[in-house]
Amino acid sequence: MRRIVFIGLGDVEIVRRVLSDLLLNPALHGTLEIRLHDTDPGLMATAEALAGSLDAEAGAGSRVSACPDLRRALDGAEFVVANIDVGGFEATLKDFEIPHRYGLRQTIGDTIGIGGIFRGLRSIPVFVELAREMARLCPDAWLLSCSDPMAMTGMAVRLGTGFPRFAGMCHAVCDTHIYLADMVGRAVSEIDFLTAGLNHQSFVLRFEAGGRDLYPELEAALADDLSHVRVEIYRTFGYFPTQSSEHAAEYVPWIMRHSGETARLGVQVEEYLRRSGQNLHRYEETRRALSSGRSLLIRWQHQEPVAAALQAMLTGERGEVYVNVPNAGLIANLPSEACVEVPADVDATGIHPREVGELPIQLVALNRTFLNVVELTVRAVLDEDPRHVLHAALVDPNTAATLPLPAIQALCDELIAAHRHLLPEAIAR
């Protein structure tokens, strides 16, 4: 049987969506062994019950087990799906509440920004250790990450371990393509897209149908839209960005510190806390549904990217998936060690990213600003140099635009103290 390991089970909806996609594929019936691992026994028990319920309803005949021991879970795996949130909701709450007292406003705080930096400091050591264990126990397996901050953990795995089979997978590109197709009244299948950049900050470079540029049609459709960050960035930089306006607002220095701008652009401050609360609610709803025997199998949805990649590799049916992988020349004018988001061909032989060439200089400038924060956070962990935590915060667009240096220093010290038990020893001491 083909062994798939899920590591990190706090986002029960991701587990549900990915497994629904896999278990509803008749070509995979009777072929899958699904192992589930988390450090929280309660999450593991719920995920095991969910996977068993989905498998029974789909009639897929899979073998499902919970594995408290990580090494046993990884032994012999072909695919490892990681959705890791170190510290969970409590850590996220601190990432928002402490900066809020300093007057620093965030929307999502999971990628860059002060919240992204500290999520990275918590997550990078876990991913580096996971990749090292995989190199020992299942060296030919793919590590497929659904975890934020993806650009940080992808770079850290590459620089810290050299493990070659890492691919981060995010729904942002797919969702953006669907949105743009809808805006111009076409099916996604009719449109030729090329999108590339960094996770949560990629740009639609080609948007065509029959060789004709569709950007003029998009501009006409957006003529009356004056209140979205993504639209404003598109009009200013010339290419439509992926990910939500809430994310985009905190990746630039001219929005979050200005209350008038967040109001004009409809930016929901501290939006991620609401989303995290919804995730906790979904978890409880799932437990109640399992107790009452209600159906949880999702039969109609657009496919999760990680599920699409798994199905292509498991069945050999060639597909396209956007992935976050080490650059190594895929985007010529971004650093080779960066983890970049590009299209890839996926089949039974694995994931094959495509070269994109050079990005327009204004887009690469935005990406470089993003990468400054990413690289300094990664280096803080890998080089065991706590000074780089402050350096990362000082070059972060939103943090640096809002606070003076002494306040940023004090904020970093307070966050380190608050998260000390979750941070690498060199950072925490």
Side-chain angles (χ1 to χ4, degrees), residues 95-96 106 108-124 148-150 152 250-251 373-374 377 392 396 399 415:
D95 286 341
F96 278 84
Q106 300 176 91
I108 305 297
D110 68 353
T111 300
I112 58 171
I114 198 70
I117 291 167
F118 276 84
R119 183 179 286 255
L121 294 173
R122 299 191 299 268
S123 302
I124 288 167
D148 295 316
M150 203 170 284
M152 291 184 187
E250 58 188 4
Y251 301 166
V373 183
V374 168
T377 306
D396 174 70
T399 308
L415 282 166

Side-chain angles (χ1 to χ4, degrees), residues 219-234:
E219 183 60 34
L222 294 173
D224 297 326
D225 191 330
L226 304 175
S227 62
H228 287 91
V229 176
R230 297 172 85 191
V231 174
E232 190 158 274
I233 289 177
Y234 154 60

Side-chain angles (χ1 to χ4, degrees), residues 31-214:
T31 69
L32 300 181
E33 180 184 359
I34 298 162
R35 291 187 174 181
L36 304 156
H37 172 80
D38 199 284
T39 56
D40 183 326
L43 292 178
M44 244 187 326
T46 299
E48 184 178 24
L50 173 62
S53 173
L54 296 175
D55 186 73
E57 190 177 351
S62 305
R63 188 183 302 160
V64 176
S65 62
C67 293
D69 182 81
L70 175 62
R71 291 170 180 83
R72 178 173 171 269
L74 292 176
D75 191 21
E78 288 187 66
F79 307 98
V80 176
V81 179
N83 189 30
I84 297 168
D85 180 10
V86 180
F89 180 75
E90 291 302 316
T92 297
L93 192 60
K94 292 175 184 176
D95 286 341
F96 278 84
E97 287 185 337
I98 295 171
H100 180 86
R101 287 195 279 101
Y102 284 76
L104 178 58
R105 304 195 305 170
Q106 300 176 91
T107 54
I108 305 297
D110 68 353
T111 300
I112 58 171
I114 198 70
I117 291 167
F118 276 84
R119 183 179 286 255
L121 294 173
R122 299 191 299 268
S123 302
I124 288 167
V126 176
F127 269 91
V128 168
E129 181 60 25
L130 173 59
R132 286 175 178 156
E133 290 293 340
M134 289 180 64
R136 187 170 67 87
L137 296 168
C138 50
D140 296 325
W142 281 95
L143 172 51
L144 307 177
S145 173
C146 304
S147 310
D148 295 316
M150 203 170 284
M152 291 184 187
T153 53
M155 177 183 277
V157 165
R158 182 64 169 176
L159 295 180
T161 73
F163 187 77
R165 293 182 172 233
F166 173 93
M169 298 191 181
C170 174
H171 54 80
V173 173
C174 177
D175 288 351
T176 299
H177 290 177
I178 291 169
Y179 168 79
L180 292 177
D182 184 63
M183 290 300 293
V184 298
R186 295 173 184 267
V188 172
S189 59
E190 298 175 33
I191 300 175
D192 178 20
F193 286 104
L194 174 63
T195 299
L198 304 176
N199 182 236
H200 294 178
Q201 198 188 59
S202 287
F203 297 88
V204 180
L205 307 173
R206 185 166 64 240
F207 180 36
E208 300 176 351
R212 183 166 59 85
D213 185 11
L214 295 178

Side-chain angles (χ1 to χ4, degrees), residues 288-361:
R288 284 193 286 271
L290 288 168
S291 296
S292 64
R294 296 203 313 267
S295 170
L296 286 165
L297 192 67
I298 304 173
R299 297 180 181 275
W300 305 107
Q301 63 179 39
H302 71 266
Q303 196 170 56
E304 279 293 313
V306 69
L310 284 168
Q311 293 198 72
M313 288 188 279
L314 287 164
T315 67
E317 293 183 11
R318 186 185 179 99
E320 177 189 87
V321 178
Y322 274 79
V323 298
N324 292 268
V325 293
N327 186 16
L330 297 170
I331 298 179
N333 49 352
L334 285 178
S336 62
E337 65 272 16
C339 182
V340 297
E341 191 161 59
V342 295
D345 297 311
V346 188
D347 58 25
T349 64
I351 297 170
H352 310 286
R354 299 183 206 147
E355 289 187 15
V356 172
E358 292 194 349
L359 297 184
I361 189 62

Side-chain angles (χ1 to χ4, degrees), residues 406-428:
I408 296 173
Q409 173 74 72
L411 172 59
C412 288
D413 289 346
E414 189 170 346
L415 282 166
I416 287 171
H419 292 304
R420 182 163 279 128
H421 63 296
L422 299 173
L423 297 179
E425 183 179 351
I427 305 296

